[in-house]
Amino acid sequence: MRGYGAFAWYYDELTENVSYQKRADYFLQLIEKFGSSGPIVLDLACGTGSLSMAPTGSRNEFTFSIPLRLDASEDMLSVAQEKAMEHPEWDILYLCQSMTELDLFGTVDTTICALDSINHLTD
């Protein structure tokens, strides 16, 4: 995906005012309310992975620690992978592809998509 490149390494500074923990808590509430059928969570247009790295609630657990992370930008995924190196116990699959042309290798139980990701849908 064009448009991020070196900017990917500064994206987190641009979004430092975003409370990823509050957003993760909100998504967790929705997942619990509507009953996800399993643990596989797709973070669609994950960017630098900040949302799926956020600890949630009083449990301080990484609820989205078994995600598939998908983004069209190799640079954004590189940042996300670098962050995840702090948690080698996580088994995360990174997919570099457009969210408009998903080609998953199986099914997912829950999909989350946040922030400005919707802006990448042009039609």
Side-chain angles (χ1 to χ4, degrees):
M1 165 174 217
R2 295 181 183 167
Y4 284 97
F7 175 69
W9 302 99
Y10 302 99
Y11 185 82
D12 286 341
E13 291 178 34
L14 177 69
T15 61
E16 66 185 3
N17 64 327
V18 175
S19 175
Y20 287 104
Q21 182 163 351
K22 285 182 182 177
R23 288 178 188 267
D25 286 339
Y26 174 71
F27 280 119
L28 179 60
Q29 287 174 358
L30 291 176
I31 290 168
E32 289 174 345
K33 179 178 180 178
F34 294 104
S36 174
S37 60
I40 302 174
V41 177
L42 169 62
D43 189 353
L44 186 62
C46 70
T48 63
S50 294
L51 178 63
S52 51
M53 293 282 296
T56 55
S58 60
R59 290 173 279 208
N60 201 33
E61 295 173 356
F62 292 91
T63 301
F64 307 125
S65 62
I66 322 173
L68 299 172
R69 292 185 182 163
L70 184 139
D71 202 279
S73 168
E74 291 178 18
D75 298 297
M76 295 292 255
L77 286 175
S78 291
V79 175
Q81 286 177 307
E82 190 172 293
K83 288 180 185 179
M85 290 177 134
E86 298 174 21
H87 300 280
E89 70 277 12
W90 292 357
D91 187 19
I92 301 170
L93 176 61
Y94 295 89
L95 302 172
C96 187
Q97 58 181 273
S98 170
M99 67 181 185
T100 61
E101 299 177 17
L102 293 180
D103 186 15
L104 301 177
F105 305 104
T107 59
V108 298
D109 302 304
T110 303
T111 300
I112 58 173
C113 187
L115 296 179
D116 67 338
S117 303
I118 197 79
N119 295 327
H120 294 281
L121 297 175
T122 56
D123 58 9

